[in-house]
Amino acid sequence: NTQRHFDKANAVTHDFFTGVVKGAASAAVAYLGVSGAVSAFNDSIDNLASLDDMAQKTGATVETLSRLQKVAIMTGTEFGNVDSSITKLAKNMAGIDDESNKTFKALEALGVSSVDAAGKLRDPAEVLIDVARGLQKYEDGAGKVAIANDLFGKSGAELLPYLNDVN
């Protein structure tokens, strides 16, 4: 009779601790899920803030920069390199009224305009997309590298593999 009570107590204790372990495991999984969601949300906010800062610096829209960032992620390109290239392009576009300007000549060779129909400078990230499309029609070689360098500076050649994937 006593043995039966010990066995019953053992079974109840086992069931109790099994329930505690299962509850703790469920709580841990729930915590990790919430923690992961909060982390992803914070990463998204940080990314948006970074794109907003870049938009202010270059005059590009956050939407266009976000498109270009997705291509960078997909191709394994450091987006900081794209950022600096857009900044360089924007700076060069601001001084484009001189027809001897390398940027003017390079854009002209690609059939890309730096101004809209109203004569205002276009979004430099949109210009970069048009440049990428124009460069994709060029054969790989010195001419293509020269145009990229005229538009983006010394890093233009390094940007070519990325530009080949922009559409």
Side-chain angles (χ1 to χ4, degrees):
N1 195 14
T2 304
Q3 184 61 41
R4 194 178 54 182
H5 288 295
F6 279 124
D7 290 343
K8 187 173 182 180
N10 185 31
V12 168
T13 303
H14 180 267
D15 290 347
F16 172 77
F17 282 114
T18 300
V20 168
V21 169
K22 286 181 182 176
S26 295
V29 168
Y31 171 77
L32 290 175
V34 169
S35 177
V38 168
S39 178
F41 179 75
N42 286 337
D43 290 347
S44 294
I45 295 295
D46 291 345
N47 184 48
L48 186 57
S50 174
L51 288 175
D52 187 54
D53 290 347
M54 187 176 169
Q56 291 176 28
K57 183 172 63 172
T58 63
T61 64
V62 170
E63 292 80 12
T64 305
L65 292 172
S66 178
R67 266 179 61 201
L68 293 172
Q69 185 181 48
K70 287 178 186 172
V71 175
I73 291 168
M74 184 180 72
T75 61
T77 302
E78 176 63 42
F79 194 59
N81 296 340
V82 178
D83 174 11
S84 60
S85 295
I86 292 171
T87 302
K88 176 89 171 169
L89 180 62
K91 178 182 164 226
N92 290 343
M93 284 170 50
I96 204 160
D97 48 354
D98 176 10
E99 291 190 12
S100 66
N101 180 306
K102 287 181 182 182
T103 301
F104 177 83
K105 288 181 179 179
L107 290 175
E108 189 176 56
L110 295 173
V112 175
S113 177
S114 62
V115 294
D116 61 18
K120 295 186 181 195
L121 284 177
R122 293 177 55 212
D123 175 336
E126 288 290 341
V127 173
L128 179 125
I129 292 170
D130 288 348
V131 164
R133 290 177 181 145
L135 285 171
Q136 289 166 5
K137 297 173 187 171
Y138 265 72
E139 289 290 321
D140 289 340
K144 188 173 187 175
V145 171
I147 290 174
N149 286 341
D150 286 348
L151 292 169
F152 306 113
K154 297 175 189 173
S155 63
E158 295 170 16
L159 195 63
L160 284 173
Y162 167 80
L163 293 172
N164 284 331
D165 291 320
V166 173
N167 56 24

